[in-house]
Amino acid sequence: GYWLAIYEGIAVPEHFFFKKGIKGYNVADYTSPHLLPPGIAAIVAFGFGVMGAVMGMAQVWFIGPIGKHIGNPAYGGDVGFPLAFAFAFVSYLGLRTVEKRRFGR
């Protein structure tokens, strides 16, 4: 389920900060790839989200370095979901801003 936090960490800032709500979506653009963002920011932010999930997870088979410091020291505490969201959200905000300046879309 960590992927859902990463997905929302990318979709939420795109919707509220870059599209500025429902009115920012132009359906006609979806048939013209040259009008769509290249997606570099989303791919890199996804990687940052995976990094956050791994660092905060506390599963039977793996306990991340941040997860070890949360909760019971023997088992850790699973904070991978909120960390995945936070890492993806923050990185996407910065990367998408750069992507918009560079590509203009």
Side-chain angles (χ1 to χ4, degrees):
Y2 296 115
W3 70 270
L4 183 58
I6 299 168
Y7 173 80
E8 290 299 324
I10 294 169
V12 167
E14 180 66 27
H15 178 75
F16 289 107
F17 295 105
F18 299 105
K19 297 286 188 191
K20 307 233 188 292
I22 296 292
K23 295 182 185 201
Y25 294 91
N26 184 3
V27 178
D29 288 352
Y30 295 114
T31 58
S32 304
H34 67 279
L35 297 175
L36 297 174
I40 299 165
I43 292 168
V44 175
F46 186 88
F48 276 103
V50 169
M51 184 174 63
V54 170
M55 290 180 68
M57 71 172 41
Q59 300 295 321
V60 173
W61 50 275
F62 180 77
I63 300 174
I66 296 174
K68 285 180 184 176
H69 298 291
I70 307 295
N72 185 336
Y75 303 108
D78 194 347
V79 292
F81 195 88
L83 283 180
F85 178 86
F87 278 45
F89 186 95
V90 171
S91 63
Y92 187 74
L93 277 176
L95 293 167
R96 181 71 174 110
T97 302
V98 171
E99 187 178 69
K100 276 191 83 120
R101 284 187 193 144
R102 170 68 177 89
F103 295 99
R105 49 188 168 134

